Amino acid sequence: MIQYAAIILFVFGLYGLFTNKNVIKMIISLNVMEVGLNIFIISIGFNSDPNSIAPIISSTNQLSSVFVDPLPQALVLTAIVIGVGTTALGLAIAKNIYKTYNTFELDEMEESA
Amino acid sequence: MSAILLIAVPLLAAFLSIMMKKLSSYVLLAVGIFNVVLLLILPDGFVRIGEFNQPLGINLLLDTYSRIALLLLNSLILVITYLNLKSYKTYGTILLLALAGLNGLVLTNDLFNFFVFLEISGIAAYLITTSNKKPRSTFHYLMLGAVGSSLFLFGVIILYAMYGTLNMVGMIRLIQANGNYKEVILPFTLMFIGLGVEAKLLPFNSWVKGVLGNSNTLSGPMIASVYAGSMSFVLGRLITNLFDFQGSLLTVVTIILAVGILAGDLMAFASTKTREILLFSSVAQASIIALLFVNGIIIWAVYLIIANALSKTVMFLVINKATKDIGSDESQDLRGLFIKNILVGVTFTLATLSVMGLPLLVGFKIKLAFLTGLADANHIWLIAIILIASVIEGIYFVRLLVKLWYKGDKEINVSYNFSFKTVFVIIALALLVFGTYSTPLSYLDNSIDTVMEEVNNG
Amino acid sequence: MTIFDIISIVVGAFLLVIAFLAINSKKIINSVLFLSALSMLAVVSFVLMKAPDVAITEAVIGSGLVTALFVFTLLSINRRDA
Amino acid sequence: MKNIFGFLISVTLGVFIILALANTDAFPEFGSANTDNRVSSQYLIEDNVNDIGSGNIVTAIVVGYRGFDTLGEVTVLFISALGVAFMLSSPKQERLDLKFRPNFMLRVGSKILFGIILVTSFYIILHGHLTPGGGFPGGAIIASSVLLLYLADDKFRSNIKSFKILEGVAGSLFVIIGLLGLVLATYFLQNFLPAGNIGELLSAGIIPIIYILIGLKVGSEIAGIVDNFLTEEESA
C-alpha cells in the first residue's frame, strides 16, 4: 500500500508542478515529488516477512538472518541530500525573483524582455 | 594515471579554489590543459573505483567513443574559459565543477552514478545561466532539470527492481537474456523523457527559449555547444546500447523526434531575434542527432555533434559579443555587423554554411553520409522530413546572413579582440579542411562504442 | 490483515491526504507546514520499512532544515511587505 | 474545483503506472524483494562483510563499495552551497531584522541545548559504520545546532570565513584520501587501511575517516546556506 501511495505522490507532485503558478508552491510540489520518489525507492527493497531486519550487523543479529535490501537505502541517502541541494538553490532563486519582480506569482511578473 | 583523474583533479581544484577566489579561473585553465593532455595518453578500457569489480562497485569506461566526447568537451571548455577570462572571473569554481560533472557523465558506466553526475552538471548549468541576470528563466530551467533527473531516477529504480543491478553492461546482458521488451517500455520512456529535458528534445525544452534567448558570451556557448554536445553523446550511448528501441516505442520516439526537427526549424524561421534563430536551429539539430542514434548511424551522428558544437560556439560567440556591445539582438539592429570586421563575418558565414550542409564544408559530407545511411535503412519519409527541414533552415540562415552583411541604417561598431578571432579562424579552417579532404572521416566506424563488445564477451 | 498492513494503509492514506493539502492550500505558510508533516510521515514509513539510516537522515533534513529554509524565505518576504 | 479535478488526473496516471508495474512479472510485489537475485546478495556474503569490516552494511555500500556516488553527492551539496552564496551574498551582510524577538527562555535554553545537540551529532558521525546514521545526518545535526544559535539571538553571525575553509579542507581531504588509494593501493578510493573486526570503533579502514570528513563538510555547508538565508546586504 505504501508503494502505491508513493507512486501516486510522485505523479501528484509532478501534476502540482505544472499547474501551480506560485514559485514557492512549485518548489513545494518538487519536494513532494522527491519524497514520493524516496519512499518508492525504499519500498522496492522492503522484505515483508516478519523476521527480516535492517541491514546492520551487531552482537544481536548475525549474518545468518534475513536482511532487507541495503542498496536502495544507500541510494536514498544520496537522493535526499540532492533534493536538499536543489531546494536550497530553488529558494535562493525565488528570493532573487522576489527582489527583481516583487511577487511570487509567475503570471503577475511583467514580461521584462 | 587512470581515467579517474579526469574527474578527481577538477573536483580537488574546485574544493581548493573556494579558499582562493581570485585564482580559480587560472586554475581552471591549468586543469583544462591537464585534462586534454591526459586524454591523449590514457589507455582504453574499464577503470574500477575502490577495488570492486562491475556489479559491486562503480566502473568508468574509456573507449574511443567517450574519448572523442571528452576531447571535444575539455577543449571547448578550455577555449570558452580563455575567451571569457576577464569578463566572468567569479565563475571559475562553477566551471570547474561543470567540467568534472560532464567528464563523469560521459565516463561512468553505472546508472545511479549517471544520475548523480546529471545533477552535478545540471546544477552547474543553472548557476552558469544566472550570469544572464534573468532569474525567471533560470528558475524555469532549474524546475525542468530537477523534474527531468527525478524521472530518470524513477526509470533507473524500476530497472533495478526488475534486474537487480545498477551497472549498465550487466543490465544490458540481463535485458537481452530476459527478452521481453514489453516490460522495459515504462522505464525506458521515463529515462528518455528525463534525458530529453537536458538534451533539448522538443516537447521538453521550453526552458531553452528563456535561457539561450538572453544568453551572454559565457552561458551561450557553454549551454548551446558544450552541454548540448555532451548530452547528445550521452543520450546516444544510452539509445544505442541500453534502450535500442523496438516496436511501438520506436515509432513513438521517431515521431517525437521528427516533429522536433520540423517544429524547431519552423520556430527558427518565424523568429526575428538572432539568438532565438540559433537556439531553435540547435534544437532541430539535437533532434536530428537523436534520430540518427535511434537508427543506429553512430559514427555520422558523432561527427554531426562535433561539427555542430564547433560551429555553434563560433555563432553564439559572434552574436553574443555583438549583442553585448549593441544591447539588442533583433536582426534589424545587427544589420551590417560584418562590414567592419570582415574576418569575423567570413568565419561566421562558413560556420553557418557548414550547419546548413553546403558542399565544400564538413556539414555537407556528414549530411550526405547520414542521409545515405537512412536510405539504406529505407526510412524514406524520414529523409523527406530532414530535407524539408534543411530547406527551411537554408531560408532563415540566408535571410540572417544577408541582413548581417549588407549595411543597415545605423552605424554599428563591434570589436572582436585577437583571441576571439584566432578561435574563429581555427574552427572555420577545420570545417573547411575536413569538408574538402574528408578521407580521415572514414577511419572510424560504428565500432567506436565498445559497450556492446563488453556485453558480449562479459 | 496483520498489524503491519493496517498501519501501512493508514500511513499511505495520510500521505496522500497531506500531499493534497500541501499542494492545494491557499496560504503558502500552510503548505510549508503540510510539507514538513509529509516529511515526518515519510520518516514513519521509512521506519516501517526497516530503513533506520534513511529515517534519521530524512528526519533531520526533511522536517528540520528544509522547513526552516522555507520559513526563512517567507519571513524575509513578509518583512518587506510590511 | 479545478484542484479536485487535477487530483483525479494524477491519481489515474498513478494507477496506470501501478497497473503497468503490477503486470510486469519481473517487477517484484511490494514486500517480496528477496536479495538473492540482486547484486546486494553479494554485499551480504560473509567474507565480503568481513573484508569491508563495517557493521552497518548501508554505510559499507555508501562509502565503501559506491564511494564514488558519495563523492558526487558531496559535490552536489558543495555546488548548491556555492550557488546560494553566489546569488544571495554580498560583501557587507547584516542580519535580517525579523519581527520575531527571542524571549528569555529561548536564549538561555539554546545555550545548553547547543552543546547537547553537538555531542549527539558527533556521536552519530563517529558511529556511522556501527549504528544507523553517519556523515549526512550528523552533518545536518551540526547545521541544526548552528541554526538554533541563529534563532536564539538575532544578532548572532557565525564566522563564515572559518566555515568556508573547513568546507574546502574537508572536501579536498576526501579527494586526497581517494587519490592516496590510487597511489598506495591500485584503485581510487581503495581501502588501504586494515579492516579490523566488525563492531569495534576502529574498524572498516578509511570508512569512518571519510564519514567524519563528510559530516564536517555537510555541517559547514548547510550552516553556510542557513547564514545566507538569514542575512541580507546592508540596507544602509
Side-chain angles (χ1 to χ4, degrees):
Chain A
M1 174 51 195
I2 289 188
Q3 190 169 39
Y4 303 149
I7 295 175
I8 294 182
L9 217 61
F10 178 82
V11 173
F12 191 55
L14 204 63
Y15 159 75
L17 199 66
F18 288 132
T19 51
N20 269 321
K21 280 287 161 276
N22 183 320
V23 169
I24 299 284
K25 279 280 188 63
M26 289 167 86
I27 302 178
I28 286 177
S29 347
L30 187 72
N31 269 30
V32 166
M33 193 170 91
E34 261 147 23
V35 165
L37 184 61
N38 292 342
I39 298 176
F40 177 74
I41 297 176
I42 292 290
S43 72
I44 62 163
F46 174 59
N47 188 340
S48 64
D49 86 52
N51 48 36
S52 78
I53 48 165
I56 290 160
I57 295 160
S58 60
S59 47
T60 54
N61 40 36
Q62 282 315 321
L63 256 177
S64 55
S65 40
V66 176
F67 281 111
V68 172
D69 184 353
L71 187 64
Q73 298 179 13
L75 303 183
V76 172
L77 269 178
T78 312
I80 288 176
V81 182
I82 287 184
V84 168
T86 333
T87 314
L89 212 58
L91 284 174
I93 296 180
K95 271 183 96 161
N96 261 351
I97 285 181
Y98 196 85
K99 215 187 299 176
T100 37
Y101 298 110
N102 220 332
T103 166
F104 272 141
E105 297 300 331
L106 278 179
D107 39 31
E108 277 168 21
M109 299 177 193
E110 76 291 356
E111 191 44 63
S112 57
Chain B
M1 262 321 144
S2 77
I4 187 67
L5 290 178
L6 287 168
I7 303 166
V9 167
L11 275 186
L12 187 60
F15 289 149
L16 290 175
S17 74
I18 59 164
M19 286 183 267
M20 22 122 182
K21 260 281 178 250
K22 301 164 290 307
L23 300 173
S24 56
S25 295
Y26 303 103
V27 166
L28 174 62
L29 285 181
V31 166
I33 295 166
F34 169 75
N35 274 3
V36 172
V37 165
L38 193 66
L39 263 171
L40 300 178
I41 53 173
L42 274 180
D44 276 9
F46 275 105
V47 172
R48 284 195 218 167
I49 295 179
E51 101 258 24
F52 308 103
N53 201 351
Q54 285 286 14
L56 282 160
I58 295 168
N59 283 26
L60 309 178
L61 172 63
L62 183 64
D63 57 1
T64 340
Y65 185 85
S66 39
R67 194 189 298 273
I68 293 173
L70 287 170
L71 269 175
L72 179 74
L73 276 189
N74 288 300
S75 39
L76 268 183
I77 288 185
L78 197 59
V79 162
I80 293 170
T81 326
Y82 178 70
L83 292 182
N84 292 308
L85 207 52
K86 273 154 293 304
S87 46
Y88 295 98
K89 191 162 279 303
T90 59
Y91 282 77
T93 317
I94 295 173
L95 286 170
L96 266 170
L97 285 163
L99 183 68
L102 289 171
N103 285 350
L105 204 62
V106 171
L107 274 170
T108 185
N109 185 22
D110 179 278
L111 286 174
F112 186 74
N113 205 347
F114 188 94
F115 162 73
V116 172
F117 279 116
L118 196 64
E119 276 292 331
I120 295 176
S121 40
I123 292 182
Y126 311 148
L127 290 181
I128 290 172
T129 54
T130 53
S131 62
N132 299 350
K133 296 290 178 287
K134 283 278 183 298
R136 194 158 170 245
S137 59
T138 315
F139 182 77
H140 194 67
Y141 185 19
L142 176 94
M143 280 298 130
L144 273 174
V147 166
S149 31
S150 297
L151 283 170
F152 181 82
L153 180 60
F154 194 28
V156 165
I157 290 302
I158 295 176
L159 281 180
Y160 171 74
M162 288 189 204
Y163 298 107
T165 171
L166 278 173
N167 167 31
M168 197 147 65
V169 169
M171 180 86 74
I172 298 170
R173 214 174 277 144
L174 287 168
I175 290 178
Q176 280 170 354
N178 185 302
N180 174 348
Y181 196 79
K182 225 172 61 58
E183 278 171 359
V184 285
I185 284 182
L186 177 65
F188 283 170
T189 28
L190 289 172
M191 288 163 81
F192 183 72
I193 294 172
L195 279 178
V197 170
E198 286 289 330
K200 305 206 290 235
L201 299 181
L202 190 74
F204 328 112
N205 62 355
S206 52
W207 59 270
V208 175
K209 187 164 183 297
V211 164
L212 285 178
N214 27 47
S215 63
N216 50 46
T217 54
L218 174 71
S219 68
M222 271 302 281
I223 304 286
S225 51
V226 173
Y227 269 82
S230 52
M231 280 303 157
S232 307
F233 269 113
V234 151
L235 189 64
R237 189 190 277 275
L238 279 180
I239 287 179
T240 44
N241 303 314
L242 186 64
F243 295 160
D244 64 32
F245 295 111
Q246 301 153 5
S248 59
L249 193 55
L250 177 62
T251 41
V252 166
V253 166
T254 320
I255 291 167
I256 288 178
L257 293 176
V259 163
I261 298 170
L262 277 180
D265 277 328
L266 283 175
M267 280 193 262
F269 182 79
S271 89
T272 60
K273 288 191 152 87
T274 37
R275 281 188 293 197
E276 264 173 31
I277 294 174
L278 294 185
L279 69 90
F280 283 127
S281 98
S282 53
V283 162
Q285 297 291 340
S287 312
I288 292 179
I289 292 167
L291 202 65
L292 292 184
F293 277 122
V294 165
N295 294 309
I297 311 165
I298 300 170
I299 185 61
W300 293 109
V302 166
Y303 285 141
L304 188 58
I305 296 174
I306 299 171
N308 242 320
L310 292 178
S311 28
K312 279 294 174 343
T313 318
V314 170
M315 295 156 95
F316 264 101
L317 278 174
V318 167
I319 296 296
N320 284 334
K321 183 73 171 60
T323 317
K324 192 160 91 173
D325 293 356
I326 295 172
S328 112
D329 69 342
E330 284 295 333
S331 38
Q332 270 64 30
D333 306 342
L334 294 178
R335 294 178 78 87
L337 174 66
F338 295 143
I339 293 168
K340 257 196 273 321
N341 18 46
I342 303 288
L343 183 66
V344 170
V346 164
T347 48
F348 182 86
T349 321
L350 283 176
T352 327
L353 297 183
S354 154
V355 169
M356 277 157 55
L358 277 142
L360 225 52
L361 282 158
V362 76
F364 174 71
K365 283 280 180 300
I366 298 172
K367 188 163 273 200
L368 192 66
F370 76 66
L371 284 180
T372 40
L374 278 175
D376 306 343
N378 53 49
H379 295 293
I380 303 307
W381 60 277
L382 273 185
I383 298 173
I385 283 181
I386 292 181
L387 287 181
I388 297 168
S390 6
V391 166
I392 302 172
E393 193 178 43
I395 297 169
Y396 66 72
F397 268 139
V398 164
R399 193 177 58 187
L400 178 66
L401 283 176
V402 160
K403 281 211 182 87
L404 292 178
W405 274 104
Y406 292 104
K407 211 171 140 27
D409 35 23
K410 299 200 291 302
E411 197 50 44
I412 293 177
N413 44 36
V414 176
S415 69
Y416 293 90
N417 59 35
F418 179 69
S419 44
F420 273 72
K421 288 200 179 96
T422 36
V423 167
F424 296 161
V425 164
I426 294 167
I427 292 180
L429 278 181
L431 294 176
L432 255 176
V433 160
F434 282 106
T436 49
Y437 166 68
S438 72
T439 41
L441 294 186
S442 55
Y443 289 165
L444 301 173
D445 54 13
N446 282 359
S447 74
I448 58 174
D449 187 350
T450 62
V451 170
M452 267 315 165
E453 260 167 65
E454 302 296 338
V455 167
N456 302 338
N457 61 27
Chain C
M1 282 295 276
T2 66
I3 297 291
F4 176 80
D5 291 346
I6 299 168
I7 297 175
S8 65
I9 288 174
V10 165
V11 166
F14 256 114
L15 274 172
L16 288 180
V17 165
I18 289 195
F20 177 79
L21 291 174
I23 288 185
N24 289 330
S25 67
K26 285 292 160 284
K27 288 161 49 82
I28 304 179
I29 203 70
N30 290 357
S31 40
V32 167
L33 293 180
F34 283 124
L35 180 71
S36 138
L38 190 76
S39 301
M40 280 168 212
L41 270 172
V43 170
V44 167
S45 53
F46 288 148
V47 168
L48 274 176
M49 291 193 263
K50 299 189 177 72
D53 263 284
V54 180
I56 295 179
T57 315
E58 174 68 22
V60 175
I61 290 185
S63 33
L65 292 166
V66 168
T67 323
L69 290 185
F70 274 109
V71 168
F72 292 152
T73 323
L74 292 180
L75 280 180
S76 72
I77 301 309
N78 298 352
R79 196 182 51 72
R80 201 152 288 164
D81 289 354
Chain D
M1 180 41 211
K2 196 171 75 63
N3 304 335
I4 311 284
F5 178 64
F7 186 67
L8 291 182
I9 295 178
S10 50
V11 167
T12 40
L13 192 58
V15 165
F16 166 72
I17 292 183
I18 293 168
L19 291 181
L21 288 181
N23 54 38
T24 49
D25 43 25
F27 187 79
E29 277 303 312
F30 173 64
S32 68
N34 58 3
T35 59
D36 302 342
N37 49 28
R38 286 189 181 174
V39 78
S40 21
S41 59
Q42 290 162 28
Y43 292 135
L44 299 167
I45 296 174
E46 182 75 29
D47 49 23
N48 276 354
V49 170
N50 290 339
D51 170 27
I52 280 281
S54 146
N56 182 347
I57 299 176
V58 176
T59 313
I61 295 175
V62 164
V63 179
Y65 294 105
R66 300 181 68 89
F68 199 49
D69 274 351
T70 316
L71 181 62
E73 173 37 46
V74 162
T75 324
V76 166
L77 207 58
F78 172 76
I79 193 167
S80 306
L82 190 76
V84 168
F86 187 73
M87 272 188 263
L88 293 184
S89 80
S90 67
K92 297 187 303 311
Q93 289 278 80
E94 44 111 45
R95 271 297 292 272
L96 225 56
D97 53 355
L98 309 170
K99 290 189 289 300
F100 157 81
R101 288 286 167 268
N103 59 29
F104 172 73
M105 277 308 296
L106 182 63
R107 210 175 295 122
V108 168
S110 63
K111 293 287 185 297
I112 304 160
L113 265 183
F114 174 72
I116 297 169
I117 295 179
L118 216 54
V119 167
T120 27
S121 68
F122 285 142
Y123 169 77
I124 286 184
I125 294 176
L126 281 178
H127 289 76
H129 57 292
L130 302 173
T131 60
F136 296 123
I141 294 175
I142 293 178
S144 51
S145 64
V146 170
L147 178 68
L148 183 68
L149 285 183
Y150 269 84
L151 293 180
D153 124 37
D154 56 9
K155 284 295 166 280
F156 172 77
R157 279 289 315 279
S158 64
N159 180 339
I160 283 302
K161 207 73 197 88
S162 62
F163 274 138
K164 276 272 175 279
I165 293 170
L166 175 64
E167 184 186 345
V169 163
S172 26
L173 272 181
F174 186 6
V175 179
I176 287 168
I177 285 182
L179 291 175
L180 274 181
L182 189 66
V183 166
L184 297 184
T186 50
Y187 297 112
F188 186 73
L189 276 183
Q190 184 165 359
N191 198 342
F192 49 87
L193 293 179
N197 34 40
I198 302 178
E200 279 173 12
L201 189 57
L202 292 181
S203 66
I206 56 173
I207 290 182
I209 301 168
I210 289 185
Y211 244 168
I212 293 169
L213 290 176
I214 290 178
L216 294 176
K217 190 170 192 341
V218 167
S220 51
E221 259 148 27
I222 300 187
I225 290 180
V226 161
D227 174 74
N228 280 320
F229 269 90
L230 272 176
T231 57
E232 53 169 4
E233 66 278 5
E234 203 71 2
S235 49

